């Protein structure tokens, strides 16, 4: 009987600690991860602004190879959309809301079974001889359930963002460098 009482107290303590951890989660979720890529923004921008290119380095494409994706609209423009449906990633969509060529791409995200909109943004800024790429996520954690989900999903997403940025870096840096054409060059014809 004494052992059951101790087990009960331990379980109750764990539930209380977990409840406190959930309540202390932020009401506004935010992730921000960055990496410096040894390439100009012009070489990186197509990879973050065109959804078909995004799937080549996205951590979720690797996590769920059976995902079915569809694309709508003109690639790399405001309003272009990617829908996904996969056994591990679930259903959702991503739409480009704002774009500033070679500087930033902001997308709204919807996830099947969750109300509200969430946002993701890529920000490209010169850093040394390369480009610093910052990938952000923002969304509301409304209510106990959303905060409980964030307790688990937040740390998992941070790791996925880091993995995706590392794969983006490998992809871009493996491509041959494109030499810019000097402004004063002339075309010679024979």
């Amino acid at each position: 009987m004494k052992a059951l009482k101790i087990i009960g107290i331990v379980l109750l303590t764990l539930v209380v600690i977990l409840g406190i951890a959930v309540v202390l989660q932020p009401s506004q979720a935010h992730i921000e991860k960055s990496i410096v890529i040894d390439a100009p923004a012009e070489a990186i921008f197509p990879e973050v602004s065109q959804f078909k290119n995004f799937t080549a380095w996205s951590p979720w494409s690797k996590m769920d190879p059976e995902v079915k994706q569809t694309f709508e609209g003109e690639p790399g423009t405001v309003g272009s959309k990617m829908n996904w449906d996969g056994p591990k990633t679930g259903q959702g969509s991503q739409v480009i809301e704002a774009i500033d060529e070679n500087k930033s791409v902001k997308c709204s995200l919807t996830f099947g079974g969750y109300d509200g909109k969430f946002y993701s943004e890529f920000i490209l800024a010169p850093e040394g001889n390369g480009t610093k790429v910052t990938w952000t996520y923002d969304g509301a954690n409304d209510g106990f359930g959303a905060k409980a989900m964030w307790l688990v999903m937040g740390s998992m997403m941070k790791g996925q963002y880091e993995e995706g940025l590392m794969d983006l870096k490998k992809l871009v840096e493996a491509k041959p460098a494109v030499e810019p054409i000097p402004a004063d060059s002339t075309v010679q014809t024979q």
Side-chain angles (χ1 to χ4, degrees):
M1 188 71 163
K2 187 175 182 180
L4 286 177
K5 186 176 181 180
I6 292 171
I7 292 171
I9 291 170
V10 168
L11 287 176
L12 180 61
T13 303
L14 290 174
V15 169
V16 169
I17 291 170
L18 182 61
I20 291 170
V22 168
V23 169
L24 292 177
Q25 293 303 303
S27 57
Q28 189 66 26
H30 179 75
I31 294 173
E32 186 171 311
K33 296 293 176 183
S34 298
I35 197 165
V36 175
I37 298 177
D38 187 24
E42 295 81 8
I44 302 164
F45 192 73
E47 307 302 331
V48 299
S49 65
Q50 297 181 30
F51 292 130
K52 286 185 182 177
N53 293 354
F54 174 76
T55 62
W57 57 270
S58 160
W60 301 288
S61 295
K62 193 185 321 181
M63 180 181 84
D64 192 354
E66 296 177 36
V67 68
K68 291 177 178 46
Q69 298 169 330
T70 58
F71 305 93
E72 301 173 21
E74 183 67 30
T77 63
V78 171
S80 64
K81 181 177 184 181
M82 176 177 73
N83 302 295
W84 67 85
D85 186 359
K88 294 181 182 174
T89 54
Q91 292 181 324
S93 65
Q94 183 170 213
V95 177
I96 294 179
E97 298 277 329
I99 197 163
D100 188 359
E101 190 170 356
N102 299 324
K103 294 181 182 174
S104 67
V105 180
K106 184 172 184 176
C107 298
S108 63
L109 303 157
T110 56
F111 301 101
Y114 298 96
D115 291 333
K117 272 192 178 177
F118 306 90
Y119 296 92
S120 176
E121 186 170 12
F122 292 99
I123 302 162
L124 285 65
E127 176 129 343
N129 292 329
T131 304
K132 180 178 180 182
V133 179
T134 302
W135 190 7
T136 68
Y137 168 86
D138 290 285
N141 283 337
D142 295 328
F144 190 83
K147 287 184 176 191
M149 180 74 93
W150 182 248
L151 185 63
V152 176
M153 296 298 293
S155 61
M156 189 168 79
M157 284 178 62
K158 289 175 187 174
Q160 291 168 334
Y161 269 43
E162 289 171 350
E163 178 185 348
L165 287 171
M166 286 188 288
D167 287 345
L168 174 63
K169 178 179 175 72
K170 289 177 196 169
L171 176 84
V172 171
E173 290 180 355
K175 291 183 176 185
V178 177
E179 294 297 324
I181 299 171
D184 63 346
S185 68
T186 57
V187 177
Q188 296 180 356
T189 58
Q190 296 181 356

